[in-house]
Amino acid sequence: MSTRRAEPQTATELGIAEQVAVYQREFPTVDPQVETIVSTLSRLARRMNVAYGRQLATLGITSAEWEVLKALVFAGAPYRLGPGELAKRLGLTPAAMTHRIDRMVAEGLVTRDRDEANRVRVIVELTAEGRDKWLELMRMAAVFEADLLQDVAGGDRPELAAALTRMLRRIEETQPDALGRTDDLTC
């Protein structure tokens, strides 16, 4: 008698309607509309993260490096910050920030130099290559996002944006450990 090993099962995700039906079966008082919206948003966020990750990989940068590039761009021209300020903005320890900056300097994405006005202070600055990578990723993301939102009419977008922003604010206010910010939201 030969023993045959079972092939590993590929996990398949239930459709949203099927998932909500299970919720209703197991927890009859669940609001199916709420569960449909929340489950869809959750799945959408996961899929978007995968898509953005692919775009980053195409450019040869990691999401951690992207966060540094973004923080430097948000600082404004000349796109410079101290390592301590970068660490604070990204929620990292100084040691983790130093490691990240080391990699990015080696890749030519940023420079690290002494501040001429204060030789004790170190400045991290975005290079032309780093800015080019940031701009290219923004171009790629814009195409992806336009395609993603093609089914939302232009006139409906402000209402959708406002509703999603209110949801984000609510979770950030009730779940302060979620590490979100509301000071940069305009709706």
Side-chain angles (χ1 to χ4, degrees):
M1 174 163 80
S2 70
T3 56
R4 192 170 168 191
R5 295 173 93 177
E7 292 295 318
Q9 293 277 338
T10 303
T12 57
E13 202 169 28
L14 292 177
I16 297 292
E18 296 168 307
Q19 183 177 321
V20 172
V22 171
Y23 290 159
Q24 287 181 294
R25 180 189 72 214
E26 299 298 324
F27 186 60
T29 60
V30 72
D31 183 330
Q33 284 183 322
V34 168
E35 288 306 318
T36 298
I37 292 167
V38 171
S39 296
T40 302
L41 284 172
S42 176
R43 195 170 292 184
L44 179 62
R46 286 194 320 268
R47 303 270 194 297
M48 288 173 65
N49 283 333
V50 168
Y52 290 134
R54 284 188 187 116
Q55 292 175 342
L56 288 166
T58 298
L59 295 177
I61 61 174
T62 67
S63 61
E65 291 168 335
W66 164 251
E67 291 301 322
V68 174
L69 297 177
K70 187 168 62 170
L72 290 168
V73 169
F74 286 177
Y79 314 115
R80 305 171 77 194
L81 288 171
E85 180 61 24
L86 270 171
K88 181 180 172 187
R89 289 181 184 208
L90 299 178
L92 297 172
T93 65
M97 191 73 251
T98 298
H99 180 66
R100 192 172 294 182
I101 292 168
D102 288 345
R103 283 193 328 262
M104 294 180 74
V105 166
E107 293 168 7
L109 300 172
V110 299
T111 59
R112 176 178 38 212
D113 293 305
R114 294 270 174 216
D115 185 345
E116 290 302 319
N118 177 353
R119 300 291 297 159
V120 174
R121 187 169 187 249
V122 172
I123 296 292
V124 177
E125 185 171 345
L126 189 62
T127 63
E129 183 180 347
R131 177 136 170 90
D132 288 347
K133 290 219 182 210
W134 183 84
L135 286 169
E136 182 58 26
L137 187 61
M138 291 301 293
R139 287 184 197 101
M140 293 167 69
V143 170
F144 168 72
E145 292 160 358
D147 185 56
L148 179 68
L149 290 172
Q150 69 180 330
D151 295 327
V152 181
D156 294 337
R157 291 179 183 189
E159 187 176 329
L160 176 61
L164 291 171
T165 299
R166 287 190 305 272
M167 291 169 62
L168 178 60
R169 278 194 175 135
R170 185 166 296 108
I171 199 162
E172 288 176 339
E173 289 167 0
T174 61
Q175 308 292 319
D177 60 337
L179 299 177
R181 315 186 300 270
T182 58
D183 59 350
D184 61 342
L185 302 175
T186 58
C187 297

PDB file of all heavy atoms in Angstrom, residues 85-110:
ATOM      1  N   GLU A  85      15.043  63.847  14.053  1.00  0.00           N
ATOM      2  CA  GLU A  85      13.723  64.296  13.594  1.00  0.00           C
ATOM      3  C   GLU A  85      13.097  63.262  12.666  1.00  0.00           C
ATOM      4  O   GLU A  85      11.903  62.980  12.746  1.00  0.00           O
ATOM      5  CB  GLU A  85      13.831  65.653  12.901  1.00  0.00           C
ATOM      6  CG  GLU A  85      12.515  66.190  12.392  1.00  0.00           C
ATOM      7  CD  GLU A  85      11.461  66.437  13.467  1.00  0.00           C
ATOM      8  OE1 GLU A  85      11.812  66.635  14.648  1.00  0.00           O
ATOM      9  OE2 GLU A  85      10.253  66.427  13.122  1.00  0.00           O
ATOM     10  N   LEU A  86      13.894  62.673  11.791  1.00  0.00           N
ATOM     11  CA  LEU A  86      13.388  61.604  10.923  1.00  0.00           C
ATOM     12  C   LEU A  86      12.879  60.433  11.755  1.00  0.00           C
ATOM     13  O   LEU A  86      11.789  59.907  11.502  1.00  0.00           O
ATOM     14  CB  LEU A  86      14.489  61.111   9.981  1.00  0.00           C
ATOM     15  CG  LEU A  86      14.624  61.802   8.637  1.00  0.00           C
ATOM     16  CD1 LEU A  86      15.892  61.347   7.933  1.00  0.00           C
ATOM     17  CD2 LEU A  86      13.410  61.551   7.775  1.00  0.00           C
ATOM     18  N   ALA A  87      13.668  60.029  12.744  1.00  0.00           N
ATOM     19  CA  ALA A  87      13.268  58.910  13.605  1.00  0.00           C
ATOM     20  C   ALA A  87      11.953  59.216  14.307  1.00  0.00           C
ATOM     21  O   ALA A  87      11.056  58.366  14.375  1.00  0.00           O
ATOM     22  CB  ALA A  87      14.363  58.607  14.626  1.00  0.00           C
ATOM     23  N   LYS A  88      11.827  60.429  14.807  1.00  0.00           N
ATOM     24  CA  LYS A  88      10.599  60.830  15.500  1.00  0.00           C
ATOM     25  C   LYS A  88       9.405  60.793  14.556  1.00  0.00           C
ATOM     26  O   LYS A  88       8.347  60.263  14.897  1.00  0.00           O
ATOM     27  CB  LYS A  88      10.784  62.238  16.075  1.00  0.00           C
ATOM     28  CG  LYS A  88       9.610  62.761  16.823  1.00  0.00           C
ATOM     29  CD  LYS A  88       9.894  64.164  17.363  1.00  0.00           C
ATOM     30  CE  LYS A  88       8.651  64.774  17.964  1.00  0.00           C
ATOM     31  NZ  LYS A  88       8.858  66.176  18.326  1.00  0.00           N
ATOM     32  N   ARG A  89       9.571  61.348  13.365  1.00  0.00           N
ATOM     33  CA  ARG A  89       8.472  61.376  12.387  1.00  0.00           C
ATOM     34  C   ARG A  89       8.043  59.983  11.953  1.00  0.00           C
ATOM     35  O   ARG A  89       6.888  59.757  11.632  1.00  0.00           O
ATOM     36  CB  ARG A  89       8.864  62.197  11.165  1.00  0.00           C
ATOM     37  CG  ARG A  89       8.948  63.672  11.447  1.00  0.00           C
ATOM     38  CD  ARG A  89       9.323  64.455  10.220  1.00  0.00           C
ATOM     39  NE  ARG A  89       9.489  65.866  10.556  1.00  0.00           N
ATOM     40  CZ  ARG A  89       9.288  66.855   9.708  1.00  0.00           C
ATOM     41  NH1 ARG A  89       8.931  66.600   8.466  1.00  0.00           N
ATOM     42  NH2 ARG A  89       9.476  68.099  10.091  1.00  0.00           N
ATOM     43  N   LEU A  90       8.988  59.056  11.928  1.00  0.00           N
ATOM     44  CA  LEU A  90       8.688  57.697  11.462  1.00  0.00           C
ATOM     45  C   LEU A  90       8.420  56.717  12.601  1.00  0.00           C
ATOM     46  O   LEU A  90       8.153  55.544  12.357  1.00  0.00           O
ATOM     47  CB  LEU A  90       9.824  57.185  10.576  1.00  0.00           C
ATOM     48  CG  LEU A  90      10.085  58.009   9.315  1.00  0.00           C
ATOM     49  CD1 LEU A  90      11.264  57.444   8.545  1.00  0.00           C
ATOM     50  CD2 LEU A  90       8.848  58.080   8.443  1.00  0.00           C
ATOM     51  N   GLY A  91       8.520  57.189  13.844  1.00  0.00           N
ATOM     52  CA  GLY A  91       8.270  56.311  14.982  1.00  0.00           C
ATOM     53  C   GLY A  91       9.335  55.241  15.152  1.00  0.00           C
ATOM     54  O   GLY A  91       9.028  54.116  15.525  1.00  0.00           O
ATOM     55  N   LEU A  92      10.585  55.603  14.872  1.00  0.00           N
ATOM     56  CA  LEU A  92      11.689  54.649  14.964  1.00  0.00           C
ATOM     57  C   LEU A  92      12.635  55.017  16.091  1.00  0.00           C
ATOM     58  O   LEU A  92      12.697  56.174  16.500  1.00  0.00           O
ATOM     59  CB  LEU A  92      12.487  54.643  13.648  1.00  0.00           C
ATOM     60  CG  LEU A  92      11.749  54.199  12.400  1.00  0.00           C
ATOM     61  CD1 LEU A  92      12.621  54.440  11.181  1.00  0.00           C
ATOM     62  CD2 LEU A  92      11.352  52.743  12.496  1.00  0.00           C
ATOM     63  N   THR A  93      13.399  54.045  16.518  1.00  0.00           N
ATOM     64  CA  THR A  93      14.474  54.321  17.470  1.00  0.00           C
ATOM     65  C   THR A  93      15.623  54.964  16.691  1.00  0.00           C
ATOM     66  O   THR A  93      15.745  54.756  15.477  1.00  0.00           O
ATOM     67  CB  THR A  93      14.986  53.028  18.134  1.00  0.00           C
ATOM     68  OG1 THR A  93      15.586  52.214  17.121  1.00  0.00           O
ATOM     69  CG2 THR A  93      13.858  52.282  18.844  1.00  0.00           C
ATOM     70  N   PRO A  94      16.482  55.727  17.382  1.00  0.00           N
ATOM     71  CA  PRO A  94      17.644  56.296  16.689  1.00  0.00           C
ATOM     72  C   PRO A  94      18.513  55.230  16.018  1.00  0.00           C
ATOM     73  O   PRO A  94      19.003  55.431  14.905  1.00  0.00           O
ATOM     74  CB  PRO A  94      18.401  57.025  17.803  1.00  0.00           C
ATOM     75  CG  PRO A  94      17.330  57.390  18.791  1.00  0.00           C
ATOM     76  CD  PRO A  94      16.361  56.231  18.759  1.00  0.00           C
ATOM     77  N   ALA A  95      18.694  54.088  16.672  1.00  0.00           N
ATOM     78  CA  ALA A  95      19.510  53.020  16.082  1.00  0.00           C
ATOM     79  C   ALA A  95      18.884  52.498  14.789  1.00  0.00           C
ATOM     80  O   ALA A  95      19.586  52.281  13.793  1.00  0.00           O
ATOM     81  CB  ALA A  95      19.691  51.880  17.082  1.00  0.00           C
ATOM     82  N   ALA A  96      17.585  52.292  14.786  1.00  0.00           N
ATOM     83  CA  ALA A  96      16.905  51.818  13.577  1.00  0.00           C
ATOM     84  C   ALA A  96      17.008  52.852  12.463  1.00  0.00           C
ATOM     85  O   ALA A  96      17.198  52.502  11.291  1.00  0.00           O
ATOM     86  CB  ALA A  96      15.446  51.498  13.880  1.00  0.00           C
ATOM     87  N   MET A  97      16.898  54.121  12.821  1.00  0.00           N
ATOM     88  CA  MET A  97      16.997  55.184  11.829  1.00  0.00           C
ATOM     89  C   MET A  97      18.399  55.227  11.237  1.00  0.00           C
ATOM     90  O   MET A  97      18.568  55.359  10.021  1.00  0.00           O
ATOM     91  CB  MET A  97      16.648  56.525  12.474  1.00  0.00           C
ATOM     92  CG  MET A  97      16.472  57.657  11.483  1.00  0.00           C
ATOM     93  SD  MET A  97      14.918  57.496  10.560  1.00  0.00           S
ATOM     94  CE  MET A  97      15.536  57.069   8.956  1.00  0.00           C
ATOM     95  N   THR A  98      19.410  55.081  12.086  1.00  0.00           N
ATOM     96  CA  THR A  98      20.804  55.073  11.607  1.00  0.00           C
ATOM     97  C   THR A  98      21.020  53.941  10.613  1.00  0.00           C
ATOM     98  O   THR A  98      21.617  54.138   9.551  1.00  0.00           O
ATOM     99  CB  THR A  98      21.776  54.938  12.795  1.00  0.00           C
ATOM    100  OG1 THR A  98      21.619  56.074  13.642  1.00  0.00           O
ATOM    101  CG2 THR A  98      23.215  54.826  12.329  1.00  0.00           C
ATOM    102  N   HIS A  99      20.512  52.766  10.922  1.00  0.00           N
ATOM    103  CA  HIS A  99      20.649  51.611  10.025  1.00  0.00           C
ATOM    104  C   HIS A  99      19.975  51.901   8.684  1.00  0.00           C
ATOM    105  O   HIS A  99      20.537  51.625   7.610  1.00  0.00           O
ATOM    106  CB  HIS A  99      20.068  50.369  10.690  1.00  0.00           C
ATOM    107  CG  HIS A  99      20.155  49.136   9.864  1.00  0.00           C
ATOM    108  ND1 HIS A  99      21.346  48.536   9.533  1.00  0.00           N
ATOM    109  CD2 HIS A  99      19.187  48.399   9.268  1.00  0.00           C
ATOM    110  CE1 HIS A  99      21.111  47.480   8.779  1.00  0.00           C
ATOM    111  NE2 HIS A  99      19.803  47.380   8.608  1.00  0.00           N
ATOM    112  N   ARG A 100      18.787  52.466   8.728  1.00  0.00           N
ATOM    113  CA  ARG A 100      18.046  52.773   7.505  1.00  0.00           C
ATOM    114  C   ARG A 100      18.794  53.816   6.676  1.00  0.00           C
ATOM    115  O   ARG A 100      18.917  53.686   5.455  1.00  0.00           O
ATOM    116  CB  ARG A 100      16.645  53.267   7.866  1.00  0.00           C
ATOM    117  CG  ARG A 100      15.711  53.325   6.689  1.00  0.00           C
ATOM    118  CD  ARG A 100      14.299  53.620   7.085  1.00  0.00           C
ATOM    119  NE  ARG A 100      13.719  52.545   7.882  1.00  0.00           N
ATOM    120  CZ  ARG A 100      12.474  52.538   8.326  1.00  0.00           C
ATOM    121  NH1 ARG A 100      11.676  53.566   8.072  1.00  0.00           N
ATOM    122  NH2 ARG A 100      12.007  51.540   9.029  1.00  0.00           N
ATOM    123  N   ILE A 101      19.294  54.855   7.335  1.00  0.00           N
ATOM    124  CA  ILE A 101      20.035  55.902   6.624  1.00  0.00           C
ATOM    125  C   ILE A 101      21.308  55.327   6.011  1.00  0.00           C
ATOM    126  O   ILE A 101      21.649  55.657   4.864  1.00  0.00           O
ATOM    127  CB  ILE A 101      20.345  57.088   7.568  1.00  0.00           C
ATOM    128  CG1 ILE A 101      19.048  57.813   7.945  1.00  0.00           C
ATOM    129  CG2 ILE A 101      21.323  58.063   6.910  1.00  0.00           C
ATOM    130  CD1 ILE A 101      19.207  58.800   9.093  1.00  0.00           C
ATOM    131  N   ASP A 102      22.006  54.457   6.732  1.00  0.00           N
ATOM    132  CA  ASP A 102      23.214  53.821   6.193  1.00  0.00           C
ATOM    133  C   ASP A 102      22.919  53.146   4.850  1.00  0.00           C
ATOM    134  O   ASP A 102      23.672  53.309   3.878  1.00  0.00           O
ATOM    135  CB  ASP A 102      23.771  52.776   7.167  1.00  0.00           C
ATOM    136  CG  ASP A 102      24.420  53.366   8.396  1.00  0.00           C
ATOM    137  OD1 ASP A 102      24.715  54.582   8.411  1.00  0.00           O
ATOM    138  OD2 ASP A 102      24.630  52.601   9.365  1.00  0.00           O
ATOM    139  N   ARG A 103      21.839  52.372   4.807  1.00  0.00           N
ATOM    140  CA  ARG A 103      21.469  51.669   3.566  1.00  0.00           C
ATOM    141  C   ARG A 103      21.152  52.662   2.454  1.00  0.00           C
ATOM    142  O   ARG A 103      21.558  52.479   1.300  1.00  0.00           O
ATOM    143  CB  ARG A 103      20.253  50.770   3.801  1.00  0.00           C
ATOM    144  CG  ARG A 103      20.554  49.482   4.519  1.00  0.00           C
ATOM    145  CD  ARG A 103      19.400  48.477   4.454  1.00  0.00           C
ATOM    146  NE  ARG A 103      18.066  49.040   4.409  1.00  0.00           N
ATOM    147  CZ  ARG A 103      17.254  49.176   5.452  1.00  0.00           C
ATOM    148  NH1 ARG A 103      17.639  48.797   6.653  1.00  0.00           N
ATOM    149  NH2 ARG A 103      16.045  49.688   5.308  1.00  0.00           N
ATOM    150  N   MET A 104      20.431  53.722   2.811  1.00  0.00           N
ATOM    151  CA  MET A 104      19.996  54.685   1.801  1.00  0.00           C
ATOM    152  C   MET A 104      21.156  55.528   1.282  1.00  0.00           C
ATOM    153  O   MET A 104      21.165  55.902   0.102  1.00  0.00           O
ATOM    154  CB  MET A 104      18.871  55.547   2.352  1.00  0.00           C
ATOM    155  CG  MET A 104      17.608  54.733   2.615  1.00  0.00           C
ATOM    156  SD  MET A 104      16.271  55.712   3.266  1.00  0.00           S
ATOM    157  CE  MET A 104      15.770  56.603   1.786  1.00  0.00           C
ATOM    158  N   VAL A 105      22.131  55.811   2.127  1.00  0.00           N
ATOM    159  CA  VAL A 105      23.332  56.515   1.676  1.00  0.00           C
ATOM    160  C   VAL A 105      24.086  55.625   0.682  1.00  0.00           C
ATOM    161  O   VAL A 105      24.504  56.071  -0.389  1.00  0.00           O
ATOM    162  CB  VAL A 105      24.240  56.911   2.871  1.00  0.00           C
ATOM    163  CG1 VAL A 105      25.621  57.328   2.402  1.00  0.00           C
ATOM    164  CG2 VAL A 105      23.588  58.027   3.691  1.00  0.00           C
ATOM    165  N   ALA A 106      24.218  54.349   1.016  1.00  0.00           N
ATOM    166  CA  ALA A 106      24.915  53.401   0.136  1.00  0.00           C
ATOM    167  C   ALA A 106      24.205  53.272  -1.211  1.00  0.00           C
ATOM    168  O   ALA A 106      24.855  53.043  -2.237  1.00  0.00           O
ATOM    169  CB  ALA A 106      25.021  52.035   0.817  1.00  0.00           C
ATOM    170  N   GLU A 107      22.892  53.432  -1.226  1.00  0.00           N
ATOM    171  CA  GLU A 107      22.112  53.320  -2.462  1.00  0.00           C
ATOM    172  C   GLU A 107      22.030  54.644  -3.216  1.00  0.00           C
ATOM    173  O   GLU A 107      21.441  54.701  -4.302  1.00  0.00           O
ATOM    174  CB  GLU A 107      20.703  52.807  -2.140  1.00  0.00           C
ATOM    175  CG  GLU A 107      20.701  51.383  -1.624  1.00  0.00           C
ATOM    176  CD  GLU A 107      19.354  50.963  -1.040  1.00  0.00           C
ATOM    177  OE1 GLU A 107      18.371  51.729  -1.158  1.00  0.00           O
ATOM    178  OE2 GLU A 107      19.297  49.869  -0.462  1.00  0.00           O
ATOM    179  N   GLY A 108      22.578  55.711  -2.643  1.00  0.00           N
ATOM    180  CA  GLY A 108      22.569  57.008  -3.315  1.00  0.00           C
ATOM    181  C   GLY A 108      21.249  57.760  -3.226  1.00  0.00           C
ATOM    182  O   GLY A 108      21.023  58.713  -3.968  1.00  0.00           O
ATOM    183  N   LEU A 109      20.366  57.339  -2.313  1.00  0.00           N
ATOM    184  CA  LEU A 109      19.062  57.990  -2.180  1.00  0.00           C
ATOM    185  C   LEU A 109      19.109  59.236  -1.300  1.00  0.00           C
ATOM    186  O   LEU A 109      18.309  60.161  -1.484  1.00  0.00           O
ATOM    187  CB  LEU A 109      18.034  57.008  -1.607  1.00  0.00           C
ATOM    188  CG  LEU A 109      17.800  55.744  -2.441  1.00  0.00           C
ATOM    189  CD1 LEU A 109      16.924  54.756  -1.691  1.00  0.00           C
ATOM    190  CD2 LEU A 109      17.205  56.105  -3.793  1.00  0.00           C
ATOM    191  N   VAL A 110      20.023  59.242  -0.330  1.00  0.00           N
ATOM    192  CA  VAL A 110      20.191  60.382   0.582  1.00  0.00           C
ATOM    193  C   VAL A 110      21.685  60.584   0.842  1.00  0.00           C
ATOM    194  O   VAL A 110      22.493  59.690   0.600  1.00  0.00           O
ATOM    195  CB  VAL A 110      19.457  60.180   1.938  1.00  0.00           C
ATOM    196  CG1 VAL A 110      17.951  60.015   1.754  1.00  0.00           C
ATOM    197  CG2 VAL A 110      20.043  59.007   2.723  1.00  0.00           C
TER     198      VAL A 110
END
